[in-house]
Amino acid sequence: MSRLIAFAKRLPWSIAFVILLNLTANLVFPATSWADSSNLGINNSHLTACPTSPNCVVSQNADSKHAIDPISYHVDRDTAKATLLKVLTVVPRTEVVENTDNYIHALSKSRIFKFTDDVEFYFPPNESVIHIRSASRVGDSDLGVNRRRMEQIRLAMQDLNI
């Protein structure tokens, strides 16, 4: 009986803690979603521009805070694409969900909260570059995760002499 009384005394504090944690999470990671089918893919030979939030990078038509260089390659396009697909298999918590002739879309999940980021790659015809875009689906700041992920993928491609 004394355990039940002790539990009952702690219960209001536990509930208050859960409510506070939920409110804090909603402030830090608001439930706004940038990713739907109209915000992904290739449109007029370009990846979609980033939203105004800082949790996105793109290599095409971006302002200075969202800009990132495309990945250059010096082999044929099919080899570059096959190599990129191999690299993506070792990127933690990342899964390719779409793979067409000139486009790859992968989902990458954060380790702790399992937030999903959309990671896109576009192989334009007659160019030896891979245009890239990585964007968080929710929240505002990603603490630079999307940029670091893309730079790590770039380094992996360079290490493979692509």
Side-chain angles (χ1 to χ4, degrees), residues 11-37:
L11 187 61
W13 289 108
S14 298
I15 293 171
F17 177 74
V18 169
I19 291 170
L20 180 62
L21 185 63
N22 188 32
L23 290 173
T24 304
N26 286 333
L27 289 174
V28 175
F29 307 107
T32 56
S33 177
W34 305 117
D36 59 36
S37 60

Side-chain angles (χ1 to χ4, degrees), residues 16-151:
F17 177 74
V18 169
I19 291 170
L20 180 62
L21 185 63
N22 188 32
L23 290 173
T24 304
N26 286 333
L27 289 174
V28 175
F29 307 107
T32 56
S33 177
W34 305 117
D36 59 36
S37 60
S38 65
N39 288 336
L40 298 174
I42 305 162
N43 189 1
N44 294 325
S45 300
H46 287 82
L47 293 170
T48 305
C50 287
T52 57
S53 61
N55 59 2
C56 176
V57 294
V58 67
S59 64
Q60 293 179 299
N61 298 332
D63 59 30
S64 61
K65 85 175 175 182
H66 295 103
I68 190 168
D69 290 333
I71 299 171
S72 298
Y73 60 90
H74 307 288
V75 295
D76 66 273
R77 181 176 161 185
D78 291 338
T79 301
K81 186 174 177 200
T83 303
L84 176 60
L85 286 167
K86 286 180 187 174
V87 166
L88 291 175
T89 65
V90 297
V91 176
R93 298 168 308 283
T94 299
E95 174 188 8
V96 173
V97 294
E98 184 178 352
N99 178 4
T100 67
D101 181 49
N102 64 349
Y103 175 76
I104 296 171
H105 175 211
L107 300 177
S108 188
K109 295 190 180 199
S110 66
R111 183 178 5 206
I112 297 171
F113 293 109
K114 305 295 183 208
F115 294 123
T116 300
D117 296 341
D118 290 286
V119 184
E120 300 176 278
F121 304 89
Y122 168 49
F123 297 78
N126 305 318
E127 290 184 58
S128 294
V129 298
I130 306 167
H131 283 292
I132 57 180
R133 180 179 189 270
S134 186
S136 300
R137 287 188 174 183
V138 297
D140 186 62
S141 175
D142 66 348
L143 304 174
V145 168
N146 284 294
R147 184 173 299 278
R148 281 193 304 277
R149 177 187 305 115
M150 295 312 247
E151 292 299 348

